[in-house]
Amino acid sequence: MCESRLLGLACLTLGMALALGAKAQAKRASVELPQPAAALGKLEGRLLKSGTRKPIIGAVVTLPELDLETMTDGEGHFGFDAVPIGKHKLVLTDSEHATVEDTEQVTAKTVTDVTYYALPSGFGEDDLVAVGHQDKPLVTRRELTIRELSTVPGSNGDALKAVQNLPGVARTTGEQVVLRGESGGQVLVNGYPIATAFHFGGLRSTVGNGLIQSLQVTPGNYDARYGNTNAGIIEIETRRPASDGLHGYAQVDLFDASLFVEGPVSKHATFALGGRRSYIDALLNVALSKKDKQVFITAPRYYDFQGTYDWQSARHRLRFNAFGADDRIVLNLDNPVESDPAVHGRLASSTRWVTGQALWDYHASERTQLSAGLSYLKADYGGSLAESVRGTFKNDQLTARADLKHEVAVWLTARAGLDLAAQYGHIDASAPRATDEGQVPTTLSTLTNITASPKLTTYNPAAYAAADVRLGPVLLVPALRVDHFSRPDQLRGQTLLQPRFNVRWAVTETTTLKAGAGMYSRAPDLYLVTHGFGNTRLEPELSRQYSGGIEQRLAKAVSLDAIGFYNDLYHQISGVADPATKFDNGGKGRVYGAELLLKHQATARFYGWIAYTITHSERRKSGENTFQIFDFDQTHNLNVVGQFRITPTWEIGGRFRYVSGNPTTPVVGATYDSDADIYTPTYGALNSDRVAAFHQLDLRVDKHWIFNMWTLTAYLDVQNVYNRKNPERTTYNFDYSKSEAVAGLPIIPSFGVKGEF
């Protein structure tokens, strides 16, 4: 009985235990079973830069409440594939832009697509990208960023004008480009020549900012890819127009108005069109009196244009570019000039040119690139001075290039190319003999005109080969260029071999030593080798150039570039007394000095530099034993530039320049010429005096209004703030007994507005 009771109790206990265990197991199983799937949605979007609508790449995008994170891609896109329905906080962060925070509603089985715009916190990532090649095989190649090109105070936002603030570039008030004391520096667009770099008076460049991708200045020892100049090279490379949508700008200021538009045509093609027109003539029409209006038959006016069609695939890029400019001014002087009565009547000057380019780039592989192109340049120049002097010059130039680059090994890259140029010129003029560099001015009343209408065709085929040899920290660049210059009186012409060599040695991560040497040549200007006006037997001018220096990084954003140079100019064209010969190649010259550039790279808030050049440039004429100062010799040239962004919408900058006065030949007396009924001046030693030094302060203030889809900028660019009367030259009265300095531009406050989309 007892046993049966005990057994029953045990069975009951066991049964209760099993029941409780099963209940616990069932409870645990219910916890581990999957819940019904919650409804999910997708959240996608794009982050763009306010104003320009350009994609912001690499921004961090988070959903902090869900602990999810991603980044924007190359088009500014981001996405989260599985987001629970409901409202979620979204945070978008980028170091160059203000943080964006918002709350988005995600719904089930749908895609929530949003677009955000972020304000730049500093100058902006696009502005900080340095333009130009990142490798530096040359001794001296200086480059500016897009931001620096467009906001240098005193340049009115003109990119090409900004180069006068760099070492080795002389201050000029005309169309000349003077590099390291030598005129005739070439300005190339995509490697091809243009007729003029600046409109009259150097007020504006002829190439607008819209398409400029890079601008590099090489004042000496330039690469073997280029030739036909003893001065330096200014290279402008144009960019591919925007492919992410339609963009452009409209800009007006005191001098001119400009328009620019760019965008995609198809999946592979983009286009851009731009133009600029001055309205100085319209302003003068309002400001001048009725009497003064009679002086300006055609008030100063200029315009320029640019256009491109760009097709690109994985390996090929095809571009068709067009550029052009037109300048014209016509004056009517009723009263003769006091010191030269022959100067009266109609005075006119006009320049018109247009160029077209067809360019092809082919990336055969990661190691081999080929580029080829064809350029046609047509230019017409015209002018008249008084009633008896007039002339026109028509110039047609065809240039073809082909450049091959192949990486043979990690340490060796080979480069080679062809540079073929043909030029046709037609001069129709009645004018005095052309003046020589350094020649003292002569009164027009005492000169005899030469009347002729010569035509001339010249050829300049060239080839080059170079190698970039990297031996550890040392880069060696041996090169050879071969130029053939045709001559009007000989079919054979002249062939010149020009070896060149550059070396760079990265001593440490912050210190680089560099040096270069080479031979260079420049063909005579066409008018100098024409029958009647020049000497058909003239040969190219030659030079040997040497330079060496150091690049030192002083801090993360601060660097120092110091270089010394010596240019030996020989076989130079010089005027001679023989009226039959007129010119020969008996001149010599030498230029030496040093350049210093202390630069603060563009950061989010500031950029600036101190550029200083000390130079001495002199020439010796054919048959003479003494050297004389070159017309554009500027012993000291100092430029201090700084631009500071106070807030994302306010920035202020300044530029100070000090330049030694240009050389001048003093008048020491005068003699009365009874036949011409004028006084003729008696000059002292050639270029033995100087005008007073030039110095000027320029200030610029920019205010930006940044909207999601476009940006409005208003700026005030004040040139010559303290209204310095900088003398540019000296004028005399009729008998040269009195003189006075002719001052340059006074204080000019230029207000401008620019709208970008």
Side-chain angles (χ1 to χ4, degrees):
M1 181 83 173
C2 182
E3 290 179 359
S4 61
R5 288 179 179 176
L6 288 174
L7 182 59
L9 181 60
C11 291
L12 179 61
T13 302
L14 179 59
M16 292 176 64
L18 290 173
L20 291 172
K23 185 177 182 181
Q25 182 67 27
K27 185 176 182 180
R28 286 196 296 272
S30 68
V31 172
E32 295 177 3
L33 287 175
Q35 293 273 5
L40 301 174
K42 290 186 177 181
L43 176 60
E44 296 180 355
R46 197 177 186 201
L47 182 60
L48 305 177
K49 184 176 180 179
S50 295
T52 65
R53 296 169 287 123
K54 294 182 179 180
I56 298 176
I57 303 170
V60 178
V61 186
T62 60
L63 293 170
E65 298 170 354
L66 301 177
D67 198 24
L68 296 176
E69 181 178 299
T70 187
M71 297 181 71
T72 56
D73 62 15
E75 298 295 326
H77 289 111
F78 65 89
F80 298 96
D81 291 333
V83 181
I85 62 173
K87 292 184 177 181
H88 301 285
K89 182 179 179 181
L90 184 68
V91 181
L92 302 94
T93 306
D94 179 71
S95 60
E96 302 293 342
H97 298 82
T99 299
V100 176
E101 294 186 11
D102 199 9
T103 300
E104 290 295 339
Q105 176 71 48
V106 178
T107 57
K109 299 181 181 180
T110 61
V111 177
T112 302
D113 195 353
V114 294
T115 300
Y116 288 105
Y117 297 89
L119 291 169
S121 58
F123 281 132
E125 181 181 0
D126 296 333
D127 303 322
L128 302 183
V129 178
V131 297
H133 303 293
Q134 296 305 307
D135 56 332
K136 295 184 178 180
L138 301 180
V139 181
T140 307
R141 172 185 279 161
R142 301 187 175 102
E143 53 199 29
L144 298 174
T145 68
I146 297 298
R147 166 59 59 175
E148 293 162 342
L149 289 173
S150 59
T151 59
V152 170
S155 298
N156 278 307
D158 194 303
L160 190 53
K161 281 190 65 178
V163 303
Q164 288 197 17
N165 300 285
L166 291 177
V169 185
R171 184 192 77 86
T172 62
T173 57
E175 296 80 43
Q176 308 97 331
V177 176
V178 180
L179 303 172
R180 282 187 181 167
E182 175 74 5
S183 60
Q186 281 198 20
V187 178
L188 305 174
V189 178
N190 298 318
Y192 297 86
I194 58 177
T196 57
F198 297 99
H199 294 292
F200 51 72
L203 186 65
R204 287 288 201 194
S205 68
T206 56
V207 181
N209 291 3
L211 276 176
I212 292 181
Q213 172 179 290
S214 67
L215 195 155
Q216 302 169 356
V217 180
T218 309
N221 288 109
Y222 57 87
D223 191 74
R225 183 170 183 256
Y226 300 123
N228 200 19
T229 178
N230 288 311
I233 297 287
I234 297 178
E235 303 172 68
I236 298 174
E237 290 291 330
T238 59
R239 62 178 176 82
R240 176 174 169 80
S243 60
D244 62 334
L246 197 64
H247 296 272
Y249 66 78
Q251 181 175 357
V252 294
D253 61 22
L254 179 65
F255 303 106
D256 53 43
S258 57
L259 291 171
F260 181 80
V261 63
E262 61 180 322
V265 177
S266 64
K267 179 181 178 181
H268 296 287
T270 59
F271 85 99
L273 289 171
R276 176 167 50 191
R277 180 28 162 115
S278 70
Y279 37 73
I280 301 174
D281 50 351
L283 294 177
L284 288 176
N285 189 51
V286 175
L288 294 178
S289 65
K290 184 177 180 180
K291 180 180 179 181
D292 291 332
K293 289 179 183 178
Q294 295 175 354
V295 175
F296 286 98
I297 299 175
T298 300
R301 66 111 176 100
Y302 60 83
Y303 68 78
D304 54 64
F305 70 89
Q306 55 189 298
T308 186
Y309 175 85
D310 193 313
W311 183 91
Q312 185 172 1
S313 65
R315 291 192 174 185
H316 298 269
R317 184 184 180 190
L318 186 62
R319 290 176 285 169
F320 297 97
N321 300 324
F323 305 91
D326 187 290
D327 292 31
R328 184 171 176 81
I329 181 174
V330 181
L331 305 178
N332 183 44
L333 299 182
D334 291 331
N335 298 318
V337 174
E338 192 174 40
S339 60
D340 195 348
V343 181
H344 73 281
R346 183 185 176 94
L347 282 71
S349 175
S350 64
T351 300
R352 176 181 297 174
W353 62 269
V354 62
T355 183
Q357 301 175 347
L359 312 177
W360 173 56
D361 299 313
Y362 175 53
H363 289 264
S365 67
E366 291 294 327
R367 301 172 62 181
T368 305
Q369 292 88 42
L370 171 67
S371 64
L374 185 68
S375 169
Y376 173 67
L377 171 64
K378 182 176 181 60
D380 293 333
Y381 309 89
S384 63
L385 177 63
E387 298 177 350
S388 58
V389 179
R390 52 88 188 163
T392 60
F393 173 41
K394 298 182 182 297
N395 182 31
D396 294 79
Q397 185 170 346
L398 185 66
T399 306
R401 295 193 59 93
D403 299 278
L404 177 65
K405 181 179 180 181
H406 177 67
E407 183 182 328
V408 181
V410 176
W411 58 274
L412 176 61
T413 298
R415 297 181 287 117
L418 296 174
D419 181 1
L420 313 175
Q423 192 171 191
Y424 167 79
H426 179 199
I427 299 176
D428 183 8
S430 177
R433 169 183 163 179
T435 58
D436 188 23
E437 189 278 312
Q439 183 175 335
V440 295
T442 305
T443 52
L444 189 62
S445 303
T446 61
L447 297 176
T448 302
N449 285 351
I450 299 172
T451 301
S453 184
K455 298 179 181 180
L456 181 67
T457 301
T458 62
Y459 304 94
N460 176 207
Y464 76 92
D468 301 333
V469 184
R470 297 184 181 274
L471 304 176
V474 179
L475 172 64
L476 306 175
V477 188
L480 177 66
R481 181 179 176 91
V482 181
D483 274 278
H484 178 82
F485 297 95
S486 66
R487 288 173 54 182
D489 63 335
Q490 293 183 7
L491 295 177
R492 296 179 60 184
Q494 184 177 10
T495 301
L496 298 173
L497 274 66
Q498 300 156 88
R500 301 172 188 178
F501 183 76
N502 287 287
V503 59
R504 293 175 62 86
W505 176 24
V507 181
T508 67
E509 292 184 356
T510 59
T511 304
T512 298
L513 300 179
K514 54 189 181 178
M519 297 184 64
Y520 300 84
S521 60
R522 179 177 185 267
D525 292 329
L526 278 184
Y527 75 91
L528 291 175
V529 290
T530 57
H531 292 281
F533 294 103
N535 181 355
T536 60
R537 301 183 64 84
L538 287 177
E539 297 178 347
E541 297 180 311
L542 307 176
S543 70
R544 290 181 285 260
Q545 301 183 11
Y546 311 91
S547 57
I550 183 173
E551 294 175 11
Q552 180 69 47
R553 191 169 76 246
L554 303 177
K556 182 179 180 180
V558 181
S559 62
L560 176 67
D561 183 353
I563 191 167
F565 62 89
Y566 181 87
N567 294 349
D568 178 25
L569 310 173
Y570 62 102
H571 212 58
Q572 299 291 294
I573 296 174
S574 175
V576 295
D578 183 359
T581 304
K582 299 182 182 65
F583 300 94
D584 68 9
N585 284 96
K588 290 183 64 66
R590 57 194 180 197
V591 187
Y592 53 89
E595 300 163 356
L596 178 73
L597 179 64
L598 179 63
K599 185 175 183 181
H600 190 290
Q601 300 289 342
T603 59
R605 297 288 183 181
F606 176 79
Y607 76 80
W609 66 84
I610 299 174
Y612 173 68
T613 304
I614 181 171
T615 184
H616 186 73
S617 177
E618 54 188 9
R619 304 290 189 274
R620 190 181 71 193
K621 289 183 173 295
S622 178
E624 297 184 358
N625 297 321
T626 58
F627 282 89
Q628 292 137 353
I629 300 297
F630 175 49
D631 285 352
F632 288 101
D633 177 77
Q634 295 172 354
T635 308
H636 303 284
N637 190 327
L638 173 68
N639 290 269
V640 181
V641 177
Q643 187 81 358
F644 180 67
R645 175 159 281 188
I646 305 170
T647 72
T649 60
W650 280 98
E651 54 185 296
I652 186 171
R655 174 183 69 170
F656 176 76
R657 292 192 291 171
Y658 176 90
V659 185
S660 298
N662 286 332
T664 183
T665 302
V667 174
V668 296
T671 304
Y672 179 69
D673 185 338
S674 58
D675 294 331
D677 191 24
I678 62 168
Y679 284 86
T680 57
T682 302
Y683 290 97
L686 185 65
N687 284 342
S688 59
D689 199 2
R690 288 182 183 270
V691 298
F694 171 96
H695 56 85
Q696 178 174 302
L697 175 65
D698 306 317
L699 295 177
R700 180 182 173 110
V701 179
D702 291 76
K703 167 61 179 174
H704 309 279
W705 289 270
I706 305 175
F707 307 97
N708 285 344
M709 306 296 289
W710 67 293
T711 299
L712 178 65
T713 299
Y715 60 88
L716 178 64
D717 196 328
V718 184
Q719 299 183 44
N720 198 5
V721 172
Y722 50 81
N723 199 25
R724 157 79 173 176
K725 294 182 179 180
N726 286 298
E728 298 292 350
R729 59 187 178 87
T730 304
T731 60
Y732 298 87
N733 65 342
F734 74 100
D735 63 355
Y736 294 87
S737 60
K738 296 180 180 179
S739 65
E740 64 178 1
V742 177
L745 294 176
I747 181 173
I748 300 179
S750 176
F751 176 77
V753 178
K754 183 178 183 180
E756 299 177 82
F757 66 93

